[in-house]
Amino acid sequence: MPTARPTARVTASGTPATGSPSGPADTSSAGASASTSPTGGASPAGRPLAGRTVLLDPGHNPGNAAHATEINRQVDIGNSHKECDTTGTETDAGYSEAAYTLDVSHRIRDILQGLGATVVLTQDGDRPWGPCVTERAAIGNSAHADAAISVHGDGGPASGSGFHVILPAKVVAGVADNAAIVDPSRRLGLLVRQKFQAATGEPYADYIADQGLDTRSDLGGLNLSTVPKVFIECGNMRNAGDAKRMTDPQWRQRAAQGIADALTAHLTTPAG
């Protein structure tokens, strides 16, 4: 659910979430947080992302609700302190944001690996809680990712629907200095907005004013990133229409394709 807004307009997920009764069993392999694309057999033309690294950050963790002490610990995001992580939201039927984000991230990973990319996940259902937002940023930085995206579902007002992309505001304070990635992140964000809408038909969020874009200075995953990074709130899980779409495996595949298309365009099209 939306949180108090500091220096920029804020929307965020918030209500506790467990389980995924509406979603299908995930067929992707789980385990290691880093996956390297296979080599050999395909022509360079069929592997346009060979040699590129993408960081996928599935928002939240199904175990967070059982680890309140750990996730409520305050961490330094440069211009303030905030919780290590949150529980995320869920649909009225109990399909959790954490289940949604991991499923979609697996689908994106499969597409990108097929194009030759090395894909790193901040978590792959392989840890009991977290990681903290500071570690989520650090994983992408350490991987020297060429692009990074944090996948979420929003917990907005039930009357609101649609998706939006969150861009980093420039934050140079304390341990944070993301000045170098603000412009390339905006370019990535515009591509995500375009390709996600083309793939899913989802409208821009009608409870966010700026045509599906929200620039924020209160997210550690963006403040602390040294690689181009955006968040996507793929829909409002508290809205009945969005929830119905987000619990549909075929729609989730289209969502993954749109995000993968945006990352591919960002990494293969010269800036300018």
Side-chain angles (χ1 to χ4, degrees):
M1 63 181 64
T3 59
R5 294 177 178 177
T7 57
R9 259 179 326 100
V10 176
T11 60
S13 303
T15 56
T18 56
S20 55
S22 299
D26 192 286
T27 57
S28 302
S29 59
S33 293
S35 303
T36 305
S37 61
T39 58
S43 67
R47 296 170 60 80
L49 299 184
R52 311 308 291 270
T53 298
V54 175
L55 184 283
L56 300 179
D57 180 24
H60 311 290
N61 185 312
N64 279 357
H67 293 271
T69 299
E70 291 88 346
I71 68 167
N72 287 328
R73 176 171 61 86
Q74 295 288 297
V75 295
D76 185 358
I77 66 167
N79 57 1
S80 66
H81 288 74
K82 67 185 307 181
E83 294 85 358
C84 157
D85 202 7
T86 61
T87 55
T89 190
E90 64 181 357
T91 68
D92 288 346
Y95 181 48
S96 73
E97 181 183 3
Y100 171 85
T101 65
L102 191 58
D103 178 86
V104 171
S105 294
H106 283 163
R107 294 170 187 271
I108 301 168
R109 177 183 64 185
D110 291 347
I111 296 167
L112 295 179
Q113 285 181 334
L115 297 173
T118 295
V119 180
V120 178
L121 270 65
T122 57
Q123 59 93 10
D124 198 7
D126 52 356
R127 53 191 299 164
W129 58 272
C132 292
V133 295
T134 48
E135 185 181 352
R136 290 173 186 269
I139 291 169
N141 297 344
S142 296
H144 303 289
D146 296 293
I149 189 164
S150 188
V151 180
H152 287 263
D154 205 10
S159 60
S161 63
F163 82 97
H164 66 281
V165 178
I166 302 175
L167 310 176
K170 179 180 177 180
V171 176
V172 180
V175 297
D177 183 354
N178 69 357
I181 63 104
V182 169
D183 287 344
S185 295
R186 179 174 179 81
R187 175 175 175 266
L188 172 60
L190 291 172
L191 286 167
V192 171
R193 183 180 66 168
Q194 174 192 359
K195 300 294 187 181
F196 186 86
Q197 186 177 61
T200 64
E202 186 78 357
Y204 301 152
D206 55 20
Y207 56 97
I208 298 294
D210 291 340
Q211 293 294 297
L213 299 175
D214 195 12
T215 300
R216 292 178 56 169
S217 62
D218 66 313
L219 297 175
L222 297 180
N223 290 6
L224 302 175
S225 184
T226 59
V227 303
K229 186 175 184 180
V230 299
F231 282 42
I232 182 169
E233 299 279 4
C234 297
N236 179 14
M237 301 188 82
R238 308 306 299 174
N239 175 271
D242 281 2
K244 182 177 180 180
R245 288 185 285 275
M246 295 171 79
T247 53
D248 177 359
Q250 293 182 341
W251 189 92
R252 291 201 299 273
Q253 186 63 36
R254 293 196 295 272
Q257 187 66 59
I259 294 170
D261 288 347
L263 289 162
T264 301
H266 178 78
L267 296 175
T268 57
T269 306

